[in-house]
Amino acid sequence: MNENIQNRYTFSIDLIKQAGSIALSYYLNRNELVIECKKGDKQDQVSMADKSVEAKIRQAIAEKFPEDGFLGEESGYSGLDSEFCWIVDPIDGTSPFLNGLHAWCISIAVLHKNEIVIGMVFDPLHNELFHAQLGGGAYLNDVPMHTVEPAESVQDGLVGLGMSHRVPPKTILPFIHQLLVDGGMYVRNGSGALSLAQVAAGRLLAYYEPHMNCWDCAAGMLLVREAGGTANNILENDGLLKGNFVLAAANQQVYQQLDLMRAM
């Protein structure tokens, strides 16, 4: 076990819980928050909660591991060529968060030499910490996680879906059509990171989104793989900065079925 990775893993468990407490406090007082829209998109919102939680996380990392790089949704990036780089979404599911829904979380991932080695998704409302270290398995709090077993097709569970205005509607409509034709069913909760964690926990059969930013999905993709599932490489084609499609499934068989739908 790489001691440097283990140190960051242990540190990030405490850090994400502290950040979760701050986020939960904002959530319980969300009517007092000032809401802004990014680039004029009313569906892409940000609040002081997002900014404060990310600032807390970034400051703590800088104090403990000043040599590490950082990529955050709200404050940008620095030191991406460092040996270690942290990828942070302070509140994934800002719209559900602001509207009093339960589908939001905090997501933290760590890259080591351009490989995701730590992934954590924390749901403060339910006190559920989904966490994984490369090669060490995936856990929900202290209990090992496993994807849906057995699963042979999309008929064996629910498929989580995500969508944004960064891509046209026609990108996902053929996928939804074929999923329903093949006897599958989908849900959308507004948080891609939390949905990926649900795949790892065996609650969802799979998750697909035509485009996600890396801070939304890096942690979740490691969770799925370490829980025994299959997921695409989101870092391909400069995915760290440009984002990528995301497809994660309980196993290779279901992944291939969904990948064919995606290609339609």
Side-chain angles (χ1 to χ4, degrees):
M1 186 72 68
N2 185 309
E3 184 177 353
N4 289 325
I5 296 175
Q6 182 62 42
N7 289 341
R8 286 164 174 80
Y9 184 66
T10 302
F11 171 78
S12 58
I13 287 177
D14 291 334
L15 176 60
I16 202 169
K17 289 180 178 180
Q18 292 173 25
S21 295
I22 297 171
L24 183 58
S25 178
Y26 278 116
Y27 176 81
L28 296 174
N29 297 280
R30 59 190 175 277
N31 292 335
E32 301 174 10
L33 292 172
V34 176
I35 303 169
E36 303 171 13
C37 297
K38 298 180 182 179
K39 299 179 181 179
D41 183 353
K42 293 184 179 180
Q43 295 295 337
D44 193 0
Q45 299 174 316
V46 64
S47 72
M48 181 55 68
D50 302 75
K51 295 177 180 179
S52 289
V53 173
E54 181 164 312
K56 163 65 177 178
I57 294 172
R58 187 165 192 168
Q59 179 183 2
I61 293 169
E63 291 175 356
K64 181 70 174 181
F65 303 106
E67 69 277 17
D68 289 4
F70 186 90
L71 171 62
E73 178 176 13
E74 308 306 336
S75 60
Y77 62 87
S78 63
L80 295 186
D81 57 349
S82 302
E83 181 179 2
F84 287 93
C85 182
W86 297 69
I87 305 173
V88 174
D89 191 339
I91 298 177
D92 185 61
T94 297
S95 291
F97 177 96
L98 293 173
N99 285 284
L101 298 173
H102 290 186
W104 60 273
C105 65
I106 300 159
S107 176
I108 296 178
V110 179
L111 293 181
H112 178 239
K113 298 179 179 178
N114 206 38
E115 182 176 31
I116 305 169
V117 295
I118 294 171
M120 297 198 178
V121 170
F122 184 45
D123 175 358
L125 274 172
H126 301 96
N127 195 30
E128 291 189 329
L129 175 59
F130 307 82
H131 57 104
Q133 185 175 171
L134 181 65
Y139 295 84
L140 172 48
N141 294 329
D142 297 324
V143 180
M145 287 194 300
H146 303 284
T147 54
V148 175
E149 296 183 68
E152 298 179 353
S153 76
V154 294
Q155 297 182 24
D156 292 322
L158 292 170
V159 175
L161 290 182
M163 185 63 182
S164 74
H165 291 295
R166 292 189 299 274
V167 295
K170 65 181 181 181
T171 308
I172 201 168
L173 292 178
F175 181 94
I176 295 175
H177 173 80
Q178 193 60 48
L179 176 65
L180 296 174
V181 167
D182 286 356
M185 185 50 67
Y186 66 91
V187 294
R188 183 180 190 276
N189 71 11
S191 170
L194 189 56
S195 293
L196 287 166
Q198 307 289 17
V199 175
R203 298 171 181 173
L204 290 177
L205 178 67
Y207 183 77
Y208 171 61
E209 187 161 344
H211 180 271
M212 291 180 77
N213 290 309
C214 199
W215 50 77
D216 294 321
C217 59
M221 298 299 259
L222 181 65
L223 289 170
V224 171
R225 291 194 191 96
E226 289 296 319
T230 302
N232 66 298
N233 180 6
I234 58 165
L235 298 178
E236 285 184 333
N237 302 316
D238 199 20
L240 182 62
L241 291 178
K242 294 182 179 179
N244 220 323
F245 80 91
V246 166
L247 180 59
N251 57 40
Q252 185 66 30
Q253 186 171 344
V254 175
Y255 181 94
Q256 289 177 344
Q257 184 182 12
L258 292 168
D259 198 33
L260 288 174
M261 296 179 193
R262 185 185 71 82
M264 290 179 175

